Amino acid sequence: ICNAQNRPSLFFREDFKEIPAATPVTQEHLVNKDVIIGLYGPGRDSIKKSHHDVPADDPYYIWSGVCKGNWVVTLKKDKSYVDLSGYAKIIWRSKQAGFRCLHLVIKLADGTWLVSGQCDDRSQDWRVRQFNIMDIDWYELNVESVIEGSPVKNVNLSKVDEIGFTDLMTGGGSDACSRVDWIE
């Protein structure tokens, strides 16, 4: 039975600070003081917090366009795990270009890294995407190389340590990149 009592509350929302662009993105760029950023993979040092003056409503966002290797950005709430079982959802506002398809990444409490089979693909403008976690097939993720592995069945999502995203690719400038405005 589905009712409001089965639906989890908001665990965190991160909408990046409106401060000047920087490479790499750092803890200073996070609005939520209870959230810690993690950068992984060979491209971690080239993940940029970006913004443009035109159009006037351009957000402050994470950008992968200059990443020299595969990359992952994660967020975690200090000293807390989140239960992503049941009716849990992850929602973000993003925009991808080229062949980029943005996947969810999670790190379980036992240190296991997983990447979602579902992704958010190319869009000419910003859009909001909601993922129903119970609908996702998960794959092993080598977080050092940021390369997906074998499918994982019967994943216990009751203790998730970090939540993030990757497109599993290097940056290719503005024509081949991923952008994330906010995530909750």
Side-chain angles (χ1 to χ4, degrees):
I1 295 176
C2 177
N3 62 46
Q5 293 171 335
N6 297 88
R7 304 223 181 255
S9 60
L10 180 66
F11 185 64
F12 71 73
R13 175 184 168 99
E14 183 52 51
D15 191 356
F16 304 96
K17 282 184 186 174
E18 295 183 6
I19 58 176
T23 306
V25 64
T26 66
Q27 190 68 32
E28 177 182 294
H29 295 104
L30 272 58
V31 170
N32 189 328
K33 293 177 182 162
D34 296 329
V35 172
I36 300 167
I37 193 166
L39 305 177
Y40 302 94
R44 72 181 166 270
D45 292 337
S46 48
I47 299 166
K48 183 175 182 179
K49 204 295 282 321
S50 193
H51 170 74
H52 303 283
D53 292 332
V54 177
D57 66 347
D58 191 55
Y60 290 76
Y61 58 91
I62 301 299
W63 183 59
S64 70
V66 293
C67 286
K68 297 180 183 355
N70 291 8
W71 57 275
V72 171
V73 173
T74 65
L75 301 166
K76 68 178 278 175
K77 212 167 179 183
D78 191 26
K79 300 177 185 170
S80 297
Y81 295 117
V82 63
D83 182 353
L84 292 182
S85 60
Y87 293 103
K89 298 177 184 330
I90 295 175
I91 305 168
W92 63 40
R93 184 174 185 236
S94 71
K95 180 169 83 167
Q96 280 63 249
F99 290 118
R100 301 309 182 271
C101 191
L102 199 62
H103 297 262
L104 292 170
V105 171
I106 59 173
K107 178 186 175 191
L108 303 178
D110 68 4
T112 300
W113 286 91
L114 302 172
V115 62
S116 66
Q118 285 187 23
C119 64
D120 193 5
D121 62 353
R122 197 174 103 182
S123 176
Q124 296 294 318
D125 198 5
W126 295 98
R127 70 168 165 219
V128 175
R129 169 73 196 267
Q130 176 175 292
F131 294 90
N132 295 327
I133 302 303
M134 66 174 65
D135 294 338
I136 293 176
D137 293 324
W138 295 98
Y139 294 81
E140 296 171 347
L141 178 67
N142 178 323
V143 78
E144 297 301 318
S145 61
V146 189
I147 295 175
E148 77 280 3
S150 302
V152 179
K153 300 291 181 194
N154 304 316
V155 177
N156 180 350
L157 298 174
S158 63
K159 287 180 85 173
V160 175
D161 187 30
E162 298 181 44
I163 299 169
F165 46 89
T166 183
D167 59 22
L168 299 166
M169 299 178 85
T170 62
S174 293
D175 294 329
C177 63
S178 291
R179 300 169 179 94
V180 175
D181 174 17
W182 55 260
I183 181 171
E184 60 183 37

